[in-house]
Amino acid sequence: MKETESETFIRNLIAAVDASDYWTDAGLSKAAGVNRRAVTDMREGRVKSPKLSTVFKLAKALNRDPGEMMGIGPRERVRADLAEFLSQYSEDEQEKLLSALNLFPRHSA
């Protein structure tokens, strides 16, 4: 039987906490702003499907992508300042900027 996104998230949560010398259930719950019992219940198998808001809060506290933690895959990563800069332009203007940027040669790192 295929693992659900919630089960994948909980498995990845447990792995992230266990692999860390820093995180405890109490510390993670405080950093995430969720009830300590919620974290403990997930780790001990009493919660099978955490609320989406809890998933996002815990992923953020762990500095992880929630989609990756749920097994959905990573989101496109764009620097926040670049996304903010581009958001001031319409979609047509963004398309023109992209066309202009594509004229620049790309160099391998």
Side-chain angles (χ1 to χ4, degrees):
M1 190 159 127
K2 186 178 184 303
E3 189 174 62
T4 68
E5 287 86 1
S6 293
E7 291 166 336
T8 301
F9 173 80
I10 292 169
R11 180 176 44 78
N12 286 328
L13 173 72
I14 292 167
V17 172
D18 288 349
S20 169
D21 293 330
Y22 178 77
W23 291 117
T24 62
D25 290 358
L28 178 57
S29 65
K30 185 175 182 179
V34 300
N35 186 299
R36 180 184 184 270
R37 185 77 182 176
V39 175
T40 301
D41 285 349
M42 277 186 265
R43 287 179 41 84
E44 294 180 356
R46 288 187 291 273
V47 169
K48 302 293 184 203
S49 185
K51 293 191 306 186
L52 193 56
S53 60
T54 301
V55 167
F56 275 83
K57 288 176 183 179
L58 290 169
K60 182 177 180 181
L62 290 166
N63 198 28
R64 307 269 176 110
D65 184 273
E68 286 182 50
M69 288 191 71
M70 291 187 300
I72 298 169
R75 293 179 286 174
E76 294 295 323
R77 300 202 192 278
V78 176
R79 287 178 36 172
D81 57 343
L82 180 59
E84 184 177 339
F85 175 80
L86 291 173
S87 70
Q88 69 183 318
Y89 296 99
S90 70
E91 286 190 32
D92 288 340
E93 292 168 325
Q94 289 180 32
E95 185 64 37
K96 290 176 186 174
L97 283 168
L98 181 58
S99 294
L101 289 171
N102 279 322
L103 295 175
F104 286 94
R106 294 187 182 159
H107 298 283
S108 300

